[in-house]
Structures are given as structure tokens and as C-alpha cells.
Amino acid sequence: MATGTTGPAGSTGTNAPGRAHIRARHLRTDRWWLSPAVTVTILSAFIVYSTWRAFANDDYFAEPYVSPFYSPCLASECDSMPMSANAPLFGDWWGLSPALLILIFPLGFRLTCYYYRKAYYRGFWASPSACAVPEPRGSYSGETRFPLILQNIHRYFFWFAAVVAVILTWDVLIAFRDEHGAWGHMGLGTLVLLANVLLIWAYTLSCHSCRHIVGGKLKHFSKHPVRYRLWGFVSRLNGRHMELAWASLFGVALADLYVYLVASGAFDDPRFF
Amino acid sequence: MTYKADFRIWRGDTDGGELRDFKVEVNEGEVVLDIIHRLQATQAPDLAVRWNCKAGKCGSCSAEINGRPRLLCMTRMSTFAPDEVVTVTPMRTFPVIRDLVTDVSFNYAKARQVPSFTPPEGLKPGEYRMQQVDVERSQEFRKCIECFLCQNTCHVIRDFEDNKAAFSGPRFLMRIAELDMHPLDVADRQKAAQEEHGLGLCNITKCCTDVCPEHIHITDNALIPMKERVADRKYDPLVWLGNKIRRRGSGD
């Protein structure tokens, strides 16, 4: 099969001058497109679902459960949610859904996450779609310019995400009550929120910025034995960062969906005791 | 099991080339390099291929098999179906010399741009003892066999020839990370990584890690930690302020 000669002068990519000229853009024969296609499908579904729920401003509380999309509530227009983290910092003037005020932090955390960056660069921007599959565009500046240079603030979103995780942990604690607010009870919703917060913590602590902060930045591990041990723990979690990123994404969506179904009356929360 | 496999090999040089079809015998337990050698012995005596150890340790026989950057000597024929066409081309990021051999001198030029290990001034040999925990971290990076598959697959230079001047590639950013993590190295690696070696061009899509025959976690253990160190230095005002107040550098 003849494939021509070396690439024309001035061309870029795998047909740049001097390289072996092969007309096919790539020669991969496996299903390289499957992974980015799955990524795009799942992330798009989550974006649609979370946008609907964030703007809905309804059915986010069913005593004693609070949806993770609406906790903490930073506006004064929230439903009465006894014992939950209400801090109406934005007062009355905020007319949109209070979820928008808080979701920006976990959204920013995931948007700048090193794993999700890989996933959406590959899935949405084809940069590249898969290894040795060429990009469709003619120039590339990576993360050197605005807006992608802002990926460097991931560490700040990590701290915000840690605060949100603490609040969601409190939401799990207050879920050990019954629908009248009496302590010492548990329902299926308690388990759902508990699973969600465990996944959120695991994902947050497995973050590459967390790994850097606890010990990765050190030159002498031997001078900092405690931080070295912490780094070792976070490194083990970090090895599962991709799996935790997806699991916690499903977890938070399912936790919200559960609260929505109970709050809207579509489903009665089974009580264990 | 012995069978006749369909191979498609790129033959050519800087003036041009083409994929040529061959039918060649395959025996149980063989790797792609064995088949290339059989082709040389029986059908194409002038077929150029660079190889040395046949054990995945010299990094010489890097090429692309069915479009994927691989070592010829570490790709078992048993991973292909007997009726599958196996396409072998030279690495597509570097200039071709002939057939499956490419000119990888780009990598040697980039290697020379990384200043070597720089201990503190006045420190004499034998005056410093490394602790095991400090050695272990960079030990992983020293497994590199310099096959340059990571350089070949990195889209920053594979798809954009113009970036070659500004980007050293994952292999040498990993070398910079190794030196920056060394307890005794005092050179300013972080600024150089971003400003001279193009770390900011890396968008951590992990192809370098995917193709590494030594299974080095290039992205997670070298490139991302280096990006975080650069963020400390250039993009984090709180870290900058904290270091100013405590008059502390990066010598921890």
C-alpha cells in the first residue's frame, strides 16, 4: 500500500518534514475511542442532572436528610433545616438557588482535579483523544495561558472541598435521627449519605495537591517522619484517584437523588430503627 | 502453534516510503522483534531496525505496532489474533533515518540542557549520608531505559513540531523532578522546569505513563509533583508569603 513521501515543508504533526510519512492519521486498530466516549457520556449526564437539581431549588430536604447539593446553605431563603449547616452569608439579595453558591467549590475542585483534567482533555477537547491519536487542531499551548493556567489553583479548591466534606460529615451525623428529630435512629438515607461522605473524603484526600501539601513538597522525608507517613497514606489513596473520582461523582448524584425522591414524596425512606 | 502472519512494515527513508505487506512464519513464544529478524533473514535482508538486548532493558527497539508505541522485543505475538494484520512503523515523532530506525538525537540535545546533580558548594565526597526513605523516591525514575517511547507518544511534540524547541518531554521533566527531589541538590530546578523545559505545556493526559515499558508512574510521581512545586513557586501567593515570613526556602 503506497503512502506517498515525506511530509511537505511547513506541515506539523506526524507529517512534519523528516518524519516517516504515513498518510493515515493513526494506525490504532483497538477501540481507542471507547474510553473518551464513555467519559463524555457520563460527565454530560452528570452536568445535565446537576444543573437541573441546582436550579430546581426544591425537594432538597427531608428530615433528617439534606441533599449534598444544598449543604451548607449560604442564602437566607433555604427551607427550615434543623441542625444542618445554615450560614446565610449572602442574606436576602441572592435570588437564585442557594445550591449555586456552594456547588462552585466542589465543581471547581473537580474541574481543576488532575484526573478530571485528563478525562475532559481527552474526552471533550480531543487533546489527545487517545495516545498516538493526533489532535484535530493546528496549535497547542497546554496550560501556559489563560484560562488553563488557572488549573494551578487546584490546591485552593482542595481546601474548600475539605471544608465542604466536614460539613457533609455533619449532615451524616444529624441523619442519625428520625423524622421528628429524635436521636439514635437510622434509615436507608443515613446509609446513602454515609457512603457518599466516605467516598467524598476518600476522593478529597487522594488529591494530588493534598499529597503535595502533606509531604510531597519535602526534599528530606527522613527529617519529617510523621509527614512521610502521611504522604505514604495519601500516596496509597492517590493510586486509586481515578476510581475514587468516578465513585464519588456517582455517590453525590445518588445521594441527592435519594433525598429528592424522599422529599418529593416519590419514595418512603425505609427506617431500620 | 506455527502460523503465517500478515505483517505490514513501513519501508523508506527521508525521501519517502510506504507500508509493504509480508507474510511471515510465527512460532509459539515469539515476540515482534523475532518476526522482524525472520523477515530480515528470509525476505528483506536490507530492512533496517535498531535493537540490542532483546530483553526490554536497552531501549533500542522502540517502534509503533498497530499504531501504539511499543518495544518490539516486549510485544508478544500471542497478543494478536492469527488472522490479524500487524502493522509496524518507526516512531512518528522523530525524523526517520531508514525503515524502522529514527533519529532520536532530539532527546540527547534535551538531556544536555538539564544541569547535572548540583551538591552544595564545599561539600566533599563522603560527607553526606542519604537515608533510605530519601533514596527510594527517586529510585523509581532511575529505572528509565531511555527508550523514548514517552517522548514519542507525548502529543505536545508528536502533534506539534513547533513545540520541540520549548518542550523537553516527559523523560527529561522526570529527570528534573528526580533532581529536585534529591535532598542534596541545590540547583533551581522548579523555575527551569517551567520556563526552560516547558512543564506548563504538559496537560497530564498520561500517555507517557501508559506506554512506559518500565511502568514508571511518570505523571503521578514526577510531572504532577513537579507541577505542584512550580505552583508553590510561581502561582501560590500564600506559599510565597509564608516562605517570606519564615525566611524559608525549599530546602526542607
Side-chain angles (χ1 to χ4, degrees), chain B residues 209-229:
Chain B
T209 304
D210 288 352
V211 302
C212 179
E214 284 293 313
H215 307 295
I216 302 171
H217 295 94
I218 302 171
T219 316
D220 286 316
N221 289 349
L223 303 185
I224 293 175
M226 208 58 212
K227 274 181 171 269
E228 284 294 309
R229 286 166 179 239

Side-chain angles (χ1 to χ4, degrees), chain B residues 19-211:
Chain B
L19 287 166
R20 288 195 194 152
D21 294 323
F22 297 92
K23 216 168 214 359
V24 59
E25 182 183 305
V26 174
N27 299 309
E28 193 156 356
E30 288 185 324
V31 295
V32 172
L33 185 58
D34 292 322
I35 312 307
I36 299 292
H37 283 162
R38 183 163 297 123
L39 265 177
Q40 279 182 323
T42 58
Q43 301 177 52
D46 60 341
L47 174 65
V49 59
R50 187 184 282 134
W51 67 282
N52 194 355
C53 74
K54 282 190 77 177
K57 289 296 168 194
C58 74
S60 300
C61 63
S62 301
E64 298 189 13
I65 302 169
N66 283 352
R68 305 185 76 167
R70 310 282 293 266
L71 291 181
L72 296 173
C73 72
M74 296 302 284
T75 307
R76 291 181 174 277
M77 284 306 297
S78 59
T79 57
F80 305 107
D83 59 349
E84 189 175 349
V85 177
V86 180
T87 305
V88 185
T89 67
M91 291 190 282
R92 295 179 71 176
T93 298
F94 308 120
V96 69
I97 295 175
R98 214 184 93 190
D99 300 338
L100 301 180
V101 178
T102 50
D103 174 4
V104 293
S105 56
F106 161 80
N107 300 291
Y108 304 131
K110 290 297 180 185
R112 281 192 292 274
Q113 290 168 14
V114 179
S116 57
F117 171 64
T118 313
E121 211 170 313
L123 191 78
K124 295 187 178 64
E127 289 184 352
Y128 188 81
R129 294 288 180 275
M130 291 274 287
Q131 299 296 313
Q132 185 62 30
V133 291
D134 295 324
V135 176
E136 279 169 355
R137 193 176 190 190
S138 58
Q139 206 71 9
E140 178 190 12
F141 308 140
R142 299 191 74 84
K143 290 194 300 180
C144 176
I145 58 173
E146 299 216 314
C147 61
F148 303 129
L149 286 176
C150 59
Q151 303 282 89
N152 174 54
T153 200
C154 180
H155 69 120
V156 178
I157 48 177
R158 183 183 177 92
D159 296 341
F160 307 98
E161 179 76 15
D162 296 347
N163 284 337
K164 278 187 174 172
F167 188 64
S168 292
R171 194 279 167 264
F172 299 105
L173 290 168
M174 181 174 78
R175 170 68 177 154
I176 293 167
E178 177 194 335
L179 290 165
D180 197 54
M181 291 170 188
H182 194 293
L184 208 54
D185 191 83
V186 295
D188 187 352
R189 309 284 176 185
Q190 293 157 14
K191 197 173 172 197
Q194 189 76 352
E195 296 175 4
E196 296 168 29
H197 298 278
L199 181 62
L201 287 166
C202 168
N203 70 346
I204 42 111
T205 37
K206 276 198 168 179
C207 286
C208 51
T209 304
D210 288 352
V211 302

Side-chain angles (χ1 to χ4, degrees), chain A residues 62-79:
Chain A
E63 182 83 56
Y65 308 131
V66 187
S67 160
F69 283 17
Y70 286 81
S71 183
C73 179
L74 300 181
S76 59
E77 57 163 312
C78 294
D79 289 348

